[in-house]
Amino acid sequence: IYILLLLLPFQLKAQQTEDVLRAVEENNIELQALRKENEAAVLEVKSQNALESTSVEYSPFFRRGVDGVASSELVVKQGFDFPTLYAARSKSGKLQQQVLDLQYQVSRRDILLEAKLRCHDLIYFNKVEGLLEQRRKNAEELLALYDKKLEEGDATIIEVNKIKMDRMNIEKEAAEIEAEMHAAFQSLAALNGNHPISFDAREYGLAVMDGTPEEIAVKIMESDYMLQQGKAADMASEQEVKVVKQNWIPKLEIGYRRNTDVESSSNGFMVGASLPIFSNARNVKIAKARQASARLELDNAKIATENQIYALIYQARQLRTSMEIYDTGLMYSTLEMLQKAVKAGELSIIDYYVEADSIYENLHSYLDVERAYHNAMAELYKNEL
């Protein structure tokens, strides 16, 4: 029960972050535009494999000495490709649709990652505000104590001014944090289709790596949307080569023809073909060059992604180690003891600030390291957003 109670705040706060991500996914204008663009692109891909338009031609002929139309010709034609080409293009179209879907997933992932990092900023700012609030409370208590001591002649104006300067620095830092929070909220609102977001979480949630660096890297690379898109683009370009190679097959035409004159009429069928003998060789070279380009882009993406993953794993592990070095409980208890000592007259205000400032600086450094760790983990597992 005790463990569950400890985990509950993390789960609640993480859910708040998930709510923000769901809202951004729904309201982000760039993602909305991409969804519509993909719909149009899918329809365009499907239309590439449709039958050609039916051609209808009618020609009236006139002759001297004959009133009206002396004779006429009606031609109805339908062109189509060889059946195997339709099958090849159908497969190519499905692969192109897969590329489009993965392109959307890459954009979605990157936008949600940006939103999550802004949430991390806000969590960090809330934590810093909490630390500043504690400092402000301590400063107010010390100022009230030393104002009274000054009246009684037990303190100097230098000691009182030291407390006032500390309070002044606290207010300055609080104003800076407030400005940065406003900017972070504005960034989130922009990602959310310019709809404001309410967010007051103060915990990042659980974030751990499970496995060796090699196991983690393999798992992440298998799920990476950029690499999946590269693989799909490589397969689509390979299939496109197969499609283009079949373009040498003659295009067929069948039709109906009717000729009429004043006295009689005749009907017949039309059969024709076009032979792309000279134009297809260059198109095959173009398709092969594009396939080679897609393969090289995939290889480059694999190298870049693998290096980035290992760098993030190392960074996250180092940051986690740094976090564990900080004993925040010890620092907060020491602050409490210093506060009691200065109130009891066992410690001068100057000595108090020498010790307290160092502790507050370490607590602030811990918050910096904590945010950096969770940012690295978010970047590492961005494909799970």
Side-chain angles (χ1 to χ4, degrees):
I1 294 174
Y2 178 72
I3 293 174
L4 290 175
L5 289 174
L6 285 177
L7 292 178
L8 184 59
F10 289 87
Q11 295 169 347
L12 291 175
K13 298 307 181 182
Q15 183 62 34
Q16 288 185 358
T17 301
E18 292 301 319
D19 289 340
V20 171
L21 298 185
R22 280 194 292 269
V24 168
E25 182 175 5
E26 180 180 354
N27 298 324
N28 184 266
I29 295 175
E30 182 179 346
L31 290 181
Q32 292 177 9
L34 281 173
R35 286 193 285 267
K36 292 298 181 182
E37 179 64 27
N38 275 10
E39 289 179 15
V42 168
L43 292 174
E44 186 177 6
V45 168
K46 290 181 178 179
S47 68
Q48 294 174 0
N49 210 27
L51 287 174
E52 298 178 8
S53 300
T54 303
S55 171
V56 179
E57 300 175 5
Y58 174 72
S59 302
F61 300 99
F62 303 92
R63 187 187 309 161
R64 183 178 296 176
V66 177
D67 293 334
V69 177
S71 61
S72 65
E73 181 181 58
L74 173 66
V75 178
V76 180
K77 293 187 297 182
Q78 175 66 58
F80 59 91
D81 293 310
F82 203 75
T84 57
L85 187 54
Y86 286 107
R89 275 206 297 251
S90 177
K91 185 176 180 180
S92 176
K94 291 178 180 178
L95 290 172
Q96 291 178 43
Q97 291 177 42
Q98 187 178 359
V99 173
L100 292 172
D101 291 340
L102 289 169
Q103 284 177 346
Y104 172 80
Q105 290 299 331
V106 170
S107 297
R108 172 191 170 276
R109 175 200 72 183
D110 293 343
I111 289 172
L112 293 186
L113 173 62
E114 185 178 354
K116 187 167 186 176
L117 294 180
R118 297 294 76 75
C119 288
H120 285 180
D121 288 341
L122 290 170
I123 293 170
Y124 167 79
F125 296 144
N126 285 334
K127 284 174 172 283
V128 173
E129 275 194 335
L131 186 60
L132 290 174
E133 184 58 34
Q134 180 179 346
R135 287 180 60 189
R136 182 186 289 113
K137 179 182 176 182
N138 292 342
E140 292 293 344
E141 291 177 359
L142 289 176
L143 184 59
L145 175 65
Y146 272 78
D147 275 339
K148 184 178 180 181
K149 284 187 174 185
L150 182 63
E151 293 176 0
E152 296 172 351
D154 294 331
T156 66
I157 190 64
I158 295 177
E159 292 175 316
V160 173
N161 287 346
K162 177 64 177 176
I163 302 172
K164 289 182 177 180
M165 284 189 291
D166 179 52
R167 191 176 60 174
M168 178 183 66
N169 289 332
I170 293 171
E171 297 303 329
K172 178 183 72 69
E173 291 181 30
E176 291 173 352
I177 290 296
E178 188 68 27
E180 292 184 20
M181 288 185 70
H182 179 74
F185 272 118
Q186 287 296 110
S187 297
L188 267 182
L191 291 171
N192 196 39
N194 215 28
H195 300 300
I197 286 180
S198 177
F199 185 81
D200 62 352
R202 294 179 179 271
E203 298 296 339
Y204 296 98
L206 300 176
V208 294
M209 288 186 290
D210 185 18
T212 65
E214 292 75 17
E215 291 171 343
I216 295 170
V218 169
K219 183 178 179 180
I220 293 175
M221 288 188 70
E222 288 176 351
S223 63
D224 187 82
Y225 285 122
M226 183 70 75
L227 294 184
Q228 291 180 16
Q229 178 198 338
K231 291 176 185 177
D234 180 42
M235 293 173 62
S237 63
E238 183 179 359
Q239 181 63 24
E240 186 62 22
V241 172
K242 296 178 182 179
V243 171
V244 174
K245 282 183 177 180
Q246 292 193 44
N247 283 339
W248 68 268
I249 301 176
K251 293 181 179 291
L252 305 177
E253 282 187 348
I254 60 173
Y256 167 76
R257 185 168 187 166
R258 177 181 175 84
N259 292 90
T260 61
D261 57 27
V262 176
E263 298 179 354
S264 63
S265 62
S266 58
N267 302 278
F269 293 99
M270 297 178 57
V271 178
S274 61
L275 304 175
I277 298 175
F278 303 104
S279 61
N280 197 49
R282 182 175 298 173
N283 292 335
V284 171
K285 289 181 179 179
I286 293 171
K288 286 184 175 180
R290 286 177 176 163
Q291 181 192 6
S293 174
R295 182 68 53 82
L296 290 171
E297 287 180 0
L298 175 58
D299 292 340
N300 184 60
K302 285 180 179 178
I303 294 172
T305 302
E306 185 176 16
N307 288 332
Q308 183 187 34
I309 289 171
Y310 277 110
L312 286 169
I313 291 173
Y314 178 79
Q315 181 186 9
R317 287 195 164 191
Q318 291 300 110
L319 290 168
R320 185 70 186 182
T321 301
S322 297
M323 286 173 59
E324 292 170 354
I325 292 173
Y326 288 93
D327 190 339
T328 55
L330 175 64
M331 288 188 281
Y332 278 115
S333 64
T334 303
L335 283 173
E336 186 177 352
M337 287 188 290
L338 288 172
Q339 188 84 355
K340 290 179 179 179
V342 76
K343 288 180 179 179
E346 299 171 357
L347 187 68
S348 72
I349 196 68
I350 302 300
D351 291 337
Y352 166 80
Y353 275 113
V354 169
E355 299 296 331
D357 286 349
S358 175
I359 295 174
Y360 280 124
E361 183 178 344
N362 284 333
L363 285 170
H364 203 296
S365 296
Y366 170 79
L367 296 181
D368 290 336
V369 172
E370 185 184 37
R371 176 173 63 166
Y373 168 74
H374 285 281
N375 284 353
M377 292 294 288
E379 178 76 24
L380 189 61
Y381 292 101
K382 59 187 176 182
N383 294 289
E384 297 181 6
L385 294 175

